[in-house]
Amino acid sequence: MAAAVKRERQRAGLTLSEVARRAGIGKSTMSGLEAGTANPSLETMWALAAALDIPLSRLLDPPQHEVALLRTKDMPSLASTASNYVATLLSTSPANARRDIYLIQAEPGEPRISRPHPAGTIEHIIVGHGAVQIEVLGETYELHAGDYLTYPGDQPHTYTALESGTNTIFVVESY
């Protein structure tokens, strides 16, 4: 992740201090991220992606292959510090599009509160196991295994696991 954070900051033509300010994190944290000495939370990485106006997956920098079999244990994962929620990147967007796919593993407890992503972002969620509650645009949706929901990811939204062992697939698209 360290190389990707530095690469994307430099690509954007921003200083370390400016990215830290935009993301709402300390300059020393930002420096540690680029040096590979920090252990960032999901919230920190989402804030960096928003500050750089890029999909989160570009900061996770997974290898690209024509045919790829990825094992969950080998994929980049980020844990939330605010809830029992782990996001594992399954697939990054091709260079000419902005679409990422994540496996979310969550347990009941504190909701995962998401700040709005960049304008035009749409999220899709498919429940594989368990149940989840999504709150967006003043509405609450309860989903169970096999259910699908799409909603504007550029609006504040929350994700709450309702059952132990809940896992979902998230597709995040930005236009």
Side-chain angles (χ1 to χ4, degrees):
M1 278 188 271
V5 169
K6 185 173 184 176
R7 178 192 67 229
E8 293 302 324
R9 177 185 62 77
Q10 290 175 336
R11 183 198 54 76
L14 298 172
T15 65
L16 209 126
S17 296
E18 178 61 16
V19 174
R21 185 191 66 74
R22 288 181 182 188
I25 62 174
K27 184 178 176 183
S28 61
T29 299
M30 184 67 196
S31 180
L33 288 170
E34 285 196 4
T37 59
N39 186 18
S41 69
L42 177 63
E43 291 80 8
T44 297
M45 295 305 288
W46 273 116
L48 280 175
L52 294 166
D53 192 32
I54 60 172
L56 175 61
S57 63
R58 293 231 317 252
L59 296 178
L60 299 179
D61 201 33
Q64 300 296 313
H65 305 283
E66 187 172 323
V67 174
L69 169 62
L70 301 173
R71 306 283 184 200
T72 303
K73 66 180 180 59
D74 298 327
M75 293 185 270
S77 296
L78 293 171
S80 170
T81 57
S83 58
N84 193 347
Y85 180 103
V86 177
T88 302
L89 179 66
L90 299 177
S91 174
T92 61
S93 177
N96 59 346
R98 295 180 76 162
R99 182 257 324 131
D100 303 316
I101 304 172
Y102 297 90
L103 168 65
I104 305 298
Q105 298 169 302
E107 296 295 328
E110 290 297 313
R112 165 76 175 101
I113 300 169
S114 294
R115 293 188 296 182
H117 304 301
T121 299
I122 298 169
E123 290 189 3
H124 306 267
I125 180 172
I126 304 163
V127 179
H129 180 78
V132 65
Q133 178 178 293
I134 303 292
E135 294 181 38
V136 64
L137 297 174
E139 297 288 330
T140 301
Y141 303 90
E142 187 172 312
L143 291 80
H144 298 273
D147 290 347
Y148 164 79
L149 176 72
T150 186
Y151 54 89
D154 57 5
Q155 300 298 310
H157 50 284
T158 64
Y159 175 111
T160 306
L162 301 176
E163 294 179 13
S164 186
T166 294
N167 64 56
T168 55
I169 300 294
F170 260 116
V171 177
V172 181
E173 296 178 307
S174 296
Y175 297 96

